[in-house]
Amino acid sequence: MKSRLLINLDSEEDAEFTIGCAGGGDTVARFFYKKEKTPAGYDACKIMISELQGGHSGEDINKGRAMP
């Protein structure tokens, strides 16, 4: 899998998005949106990844744990 974007979900709080978690500060952000129908010709997909080893994103990032 290749990507140009990484979404960091490294948090200990349920039902929250994490903008950054290593600095000890808090940020509150509110997003407002309007639902729109999916345009014709577009498809949606759900990607599920499982059975990978866990680890800390700072201490274990070099251990290749996401590799099958």
Side-chain angles (χ1 to χ4, degrees):
M1 181 186 315
K2 293 182 181 183
S3 176
R4 295 182 299 131
L5 179 67
L6 167 70
I7 300 174
N8 179 9
L9 301 175
D10 184 14
S11 176
E12 297 174 359
E13 302 295 328
D14 292 335
E16 291 185 9
F17 286 105
T18 300
I19 296 170
C21 59
D26 291 335
T27 301
V28 175
R30 292 195 173 129
F31 299 92
F32 300 97
Y33 64 94
K34 183 177 89 175
K35 291 183 180 181
E36 296 181 2
K37 292 193 179 238
T38 304
Y42 281 71
D43 293 317
C45 65
K46 181 176 183 177
I47 299 173
M48 297 179 69
I49 300 173
S50 62
E51 299 184 27
L52 299 177
Q53 292 182 330
H56 187 276
S57 62
E59 295 178 16
D60 299 322
I61 197 166
N62 64 332
K63 295 182 179 174
R65 293 185 170 203
M67 308 307 270

